[in-house]
Amino acid sequence: MNMQVRDIAGRQSLDLSKLFFGDVLLVGLALIAGQQEPRMRVVTVTDRQQIRTRESFNAEYQEVPANPKQKRSLQKVTGEIFGDDVTFKMATGPSRLFKVPLPDARKAGAQAIKMHLPQLIALFYRDQAEGLRDSLYTLTAKRGFLAMSPEIALQVGDDLFRIDKTRAVVSRRGEVLLDLSREELRQRAEQAGYL
């Protein structure tokens, strides 16, 4: 079987991003990360355990300071899904508790899938040796995810994927690498077999 690297990267990226947006915990953690200053990125999520109605986990966040010259610190985090919230607290430094409602995480994940964000990710990584990595991500979504003018953005490492009411754009360190209308995104995704 003659499988090209770009086919693997695209398909793996599509599958990984669909799994990501279907996981309430990961979407919740990425939403929390996108709301913090200095911004944080999820690095790893480990030790996920289902204990009756709770799900506990450990994670690591990398703090991305506003000043690029400052050292990036790594923060260990413990948390749980319980009731209607994803909650975590910093294991080091001042005691800080962060929370995101589970319905918000579910809505953001559903909105990303509806807006074809997994397909945009797959199309971008299709021609590259490396696809989506399941680490280093932040997610931001316009308040009221299902509003008339929805907007969602996922940052993976240096790659920023943003979709709004009319456009789907991928940029890296400020340089636009892919700019499509929503209709062009749908057509290209269909041609690639990603829908």
Side-chain angles (χ1 to χ4, degrees):
M1 182 175 176
N2 182 20
M3 179 70 81
Q4 295 183 23
V5 169
R6 64 171 177 266
D7 297 327
I8 296 169
R11 179 56 62 184
Q12 285 179 340
S13 294
L14 180 65
D15 293 343
L16 267 176
S17 55
K18 280 183 175 175
L19 284 171
F20 174 90
F21 290 116
D23 190 320
V24 175
L25 171 60
L26 295 183
V27 172
L29 289 177
L31 277 172
I32 291 169
Q35 294 165 5
Q36 303 307 314
E37 290 292 342
R39 193 168 59 187
M40 296 186 295
R41 295 191 208 163
V42 185
V43 180
T44 57
V45 179
T46 56
D47 303 325
R48 294 182 68 166
Q49 294 180 28
Q50 188 77 35
I51 307 168
R52 293 186 183 166
T53 57
R54 296 174 185 256
E55 181 177 354
S56 66
F57 60 90
N58 292 322
E60 284 184 329
Y61 270 79
Q62 183 184 71
E63 292 203 16
V64 184
N67 182 351
K69 293 180 180 178
Q70 286 181 299
K71 186 179 178 183
R72 295 184 178 191
S73 60
L74 208 61
Q75 297 280 354
K76 291 191 182 298
V77 166
T78 60
E80 66 180 12
I81 295 180
F82 181 62
D84 284 329
D85 297 303
V86 179
T87 304
F88 77 75
K89 60 183 177 181
M90 294 294 194
T92 57
S95 179
R96 290 187 285 170
L97 190 71
F98 299 113
K99 183 183 292 189
V100 67
L102 283 178
D104 283 2
R106 286 195 182 98
K107 282 181 190 173
Q111 185 69 13
I113 289 171
K114 182 181 174 184
M115 295 175 79
H116 297 132
L117 187 52
Q119 285 78 12
L120 178 64
I121 291 167
L123 284 170
F124 178 70
Y125 287 129
R126 178 177 54 170
D127 298 320
Q128 300 185 35
E130 281 191 44
L132 176 68
R133 300 170 303 285
D134 56 346
S135 61
L136 290 177
Y137 37 70
T138 61
L139 180 68
T140 55
K142 203 165 193 175
R143 279 167 70 125
F145 307 121
L146 304 177
M148 290 297 289
S149 300
E151 181 181 300
I152 200 154
L154 177 71
Q155 176 131 14
V156 183
D158 291 324
D159 300 332
L160 178 63
F161 299 85
R162 183 186 299 278
I163 300 179
D164 60 22
K165 190 176 179 182
T166 58
R167 312 234 32 105
V169 178
V170 184
S171 58
R172 181 175 289 166
R173 298 186 206 95
E175 179 188 356
V176 174
L177 301 178
L178 186 63
D179 186 355
L180 304 170
S181 69
R182 292 281 298 277
E183 181 56 27
E184 286 173 326
L185 169 60
R186 195 192 64 75
Q187 288 174 356
R188 286 207 196 178
E190 193 170 29
Q191 288 168 1
Y194 292 158
L195 289 183

